[in-house]
């Protein structure tokens, strides 16, 4: 999915307010790519005064969006570029739990707070958004087979 400037600004405004269903570009995105065959092709940051949005793109042309921690958006974007991106490119987005652990433990010496976990939150959100789009279903309905442990309890 490609967004023009106006669509992106609408998306960013809606995303920052939690209005996911009001974004016209997302409402049109009906896809169902085969799982296990999709690979992450790029990771991009969009830095604003009080937010960093992360876009994870795939070779299937489908992308997921996430919002990282609000503290130090430029530094958070740098962490995504320098640490997270290297662990994401070429990976299966459905393997999000392993990706999360790999990235999280790269910064274990610094503790469980700070820039890396804040950046990782945005990456994880983007991966879940991506999985929902790939499966053409809401994230809370994604089966446990695709990494949704919560669905096992529902």
């Amino acid at each position: 999915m490609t967004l023009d400037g106006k669509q992106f600004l609408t998306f960013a405004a809606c995303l920052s307010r939690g209005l996911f269903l009001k974004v016209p570009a997302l409402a049109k995105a009906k896809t169902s790519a085969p799982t296990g065959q999709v690979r992450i092709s790029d990771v991009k940051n969009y830095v604003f005064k009080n937010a960093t949005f992360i876009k994870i793109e795939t070779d299937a042309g489908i992308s997921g969006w996430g919002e990282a921690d609000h503290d130090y958006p430029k530094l958070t974007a740098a962490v995504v570029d320098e640490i997270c991106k290297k662990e994401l490119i070429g990976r299966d987005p459905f393997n999000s739990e392993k990706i999360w652990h790999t990235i999280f433990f790269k910064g274990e010496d610094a503790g469980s707070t700070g820039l890396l976990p804040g950046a990782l939150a945005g990456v994880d959100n983007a991966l879940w958004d991506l999985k929902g789009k790939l499966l053409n279903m809401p994230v809370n309905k994604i089966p446990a087979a695709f990494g949704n442990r919560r669905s096992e309890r529902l």
Side-chain angles (χ1 to χ4, degrees):
M1 171 175 55
T2 304
L3 301 176
D4 63 24
K6 184 177 178 181
Q7 289 173 321
F8 175 75
L9 291 175
T10 302
F11 171 79
C14 292
L15 185 63
S16 68
R17 290 178 179 77
L19 303 172
F20 302 104
L21 300 177
K22 304 238 183 220
V23 181
L26 293 181
K28 295 176 189 172
K30 297 287 184 185
T31 59
S32 58
T35 60
Q37 297 176 7
V38 177
R39 296 286 174 219
I40 297 169
S41 60
D42 200 5
V43 179
K44 296 179 180 177
N45 295 302
Y46 296 88
V47 179
F48 296 92
K49 182 179 178 183
N50 293 317
T52 304
F53 293 102
I54 299 166
K55 180 181 181 185
I56 297 179
E57 299 176 346
T58 65
D59 56 4
I62 302 165
S63 57
W65 289 84
E67 184 177 4
D69 190 14
H70 295 283
D71 296 333
Y72 310 105
K74 290 180 182 176
L75 293 174
T76 301
V79 168
V80 171
D81 283 338
E82 295 298 320
I83 298 173
C84 302
K85 189 173 186 174
K86 294 173 186 172
E87 296 298 329
L88 290 164
I89 302 294
R91 302 285 292 270
D92 179 355
F94 288 96
N95 203 1
S96 60
E97 189 168 335
K98 182 171 180 159
I99 293 170
W100 188 94
H101 281 94
T102 301
I103 295 171
F104 183 79
F105 287 113
K106 286 202 170 284
E108 69 182 326
D109 293 343
S112 60
T113 62
L115 289 172
L116 183 59
L120 184 55
V123 167
D124 194 47
N125 287 333
L127 286 170
W128 278 101
D129 181 47
L130 182 56
K131 286 194 274 189
K133 289 177 182 177
L134 289 167
L135 295 171
N136 197 22
M137 62 176 51
V139 171
N140 69 326
K141 301 290 184 194
I142 294 175
F146 296 108
N148 192 356
R149 291 185 177 181
R150 185 171 185 269
S151 69
E152 293 173 341
R153 294 177 284 194
L154 296 178

